[in-house]
Amino acid sequence: MTILLMTRPRAEAEAFVADLSEDLRARLTPVFCPLMRIVPLGAKVSTAGIGGVIFTSANGVACAGTGRDLPAYCVGPKTARVAEAAGWRVALICPDAEHLIAALADLAPEGPLLHLRGVHSSGDIAGRLSALGIETRVLPLYDQVLEPLDDPARAALAGSEPVIVPLFSPRMARHFAEICASSAPLYLAPISEAAAKAVENMAARAVDVAKTPDSPGLVAAVARLLAVACRVEGADRAQ
C-alpha cells in the first residue's frame, strides 16, 4: 500500500484527502503529520479608509473576524467561500497570486487595499501592487509555526512502502527537505516550481509539480505519482 504523507494542519489535510477520488483513497494510506501550526496573533482589523481587502487563505479570513461591506479579492475558491460565509463581499476570485495581481492591475480598484495574511507569505502581493500604483498595506493576522515530524511519519519514511508527499508551499517544502531522513521510496508533489526548487536535492524517485498551484492541481499530481509508484515499485519487486 502506498502512503500519502499529509503535512498540512489536520483539518486542511483531511479536506484534501476527502477531495481524492474513491479509487485513489482506496489505494492510499493517509498518514497525518501537520508540520505547521496556525497561531492567531490577536491583531484587530481596522478597515477605516480601506477600499478593499485581499485574502490569500482561509486562515486569513478566519482570523479577520466578521465581514465588512468592502470588496474582498480572494485567491482560491475555498478562500472565497469562507470569506463569503463570514460576510465579506467577494468581488474577485483568482487561482493564485500572479493572476490576482494581473486582475487587480486591470481593475485598478480604489485603494488603499489591505492584505490580511499570515506572517510568512510568498509573492509580495502588497509590494507589487503598490509598485503598480495600487496602494496595498499588509496586516499579519497569524503565524505559521513549523513543527517536527512525529513518530508515525518517521516510521513511514523509514519503511519500505512508497511515500507520496504533497507540498503545499515553498516554505513547507524547505522545512520538509531539512527534517526528512527517508529510506522509503519518496514521491514528491510540490505545488509550484518554487516549492520544487526547495526539494531539488532530495533523493526522490519522482517529483511531479502541480499543473495549477491549488488543491485540484495537487490532487492530480498525487494521482500521477501513484501511477508512477505502482509501476516503478512493481518493477523493482519483480526483479
Side-chain angles (χ1 to χ4, degrees), residues 136-164:
T136 305
R137 304 168 186 172
V138 171
L139 178 61
L141 297 181
Y142 61 93
D143 198 1
Q144 306 103 310
V145 178
L146 297 177
E147 300 280 5
L149 290 165
D150 60 18
D151 289 342
R154 282 195 294 269
L157 292 167
S160 59
E161 297 299 326
V163 179
I164 297 175

Side-chain angles (χ1 to χ4, degrees), residues 63-223:
C63 292
T66 305
R68 326 286 165 85
D69 187 25
L70 287 172
Y73 308 109
C74 302
V75 170
K78 178 183 175 182
T79 301
R81 286 194 301 270
V82 174
E84 192 168 51
W88 296 93
R89 179 160 50 90
V90 175
L92 185 66
I93 307 170
C94 294
D96 55 35
E98 296 300 321
H99 285 87
L100 180 74
I101 292 167
L104 287 173
D106 288 339
L107 282 174
E110 286 190 22
L113 305 182
L114 182 62
H115 186 185
L116 300 169
R117 44 161 261 200
V119 171
H120 304 279
S121 180
S122 59
D124 189 21
I125 291 173
R128 292 168 66 185
L129 285 174
S130 295
L132 292 172
I134 304 168
E135 181 187 352
T136 305
R137 304 168 186 172
V138 171
L139 178 61
L141 297 181
Y142 61 93
D143 198 1
Q144 306 103 310
V145 178
L146 297 177
E147 300 280 5
L149 290 165
D150 60 18
D151 289 342
R154 282 195 294 269
L157 292 167
S160 59
E161 297 299 326
V163 179
I164 297 175
V165 189
L167 297 164
F168 291 83
S169 71
R171 183 169 179 251
M172 183 58 65
R174 284 191 298 273
H175 181 51
F176 183 72
E178 289 169 359
I179 65 176
C180 175
S182 176
S183 57
L186 201 57
Y187 295 82
L188 304 178
I191 195 168
S192 64
E193 292 293 343
K197 185 167 181 57
V199 295
E200 62 185 358
N201 294 322
M202 295 188 72
R205 294 283 185 102
V207 177
D208 192 319
V209 182
K211 306 298 184 193
T212 55
D214 51 23
S215 184
L218 279 174
V219 166
V222 166

Side-chain angles (χ1 to χ4, degrees), residues 222-238:
V222 166
R224 292 191 298 268
L225 285 173
L226 179 59
V228 172
C230 290
R231 185 169 62 249
V232 171
E233 304 307 321
D236 284 353
R237 287 166 186 169

Side-chain angles (χ1 to χ4, degrees), residues 1-40:
M1 178 67 74
T2 299
I3 292 166
L4 180 67
L5 180 57
M6 294 301 305
T7 60
R8 298 193 95 184
R10 184 66 184 243
E12 296 171 14
E14 289 179 347
F16 180 85
V17 172
D19 284 340
L20 300 175
S21 68
E22 186 176 341
D23 176 64
L24 279 178
R25 289 198 302 272
R27 298 163 63 196
L28 292 166
T29 299
V31 172
F32 295 97
C33 176
L35 295 182
M36 185 179 73
R37 178 167 46 93
I38 301 300
V39 180

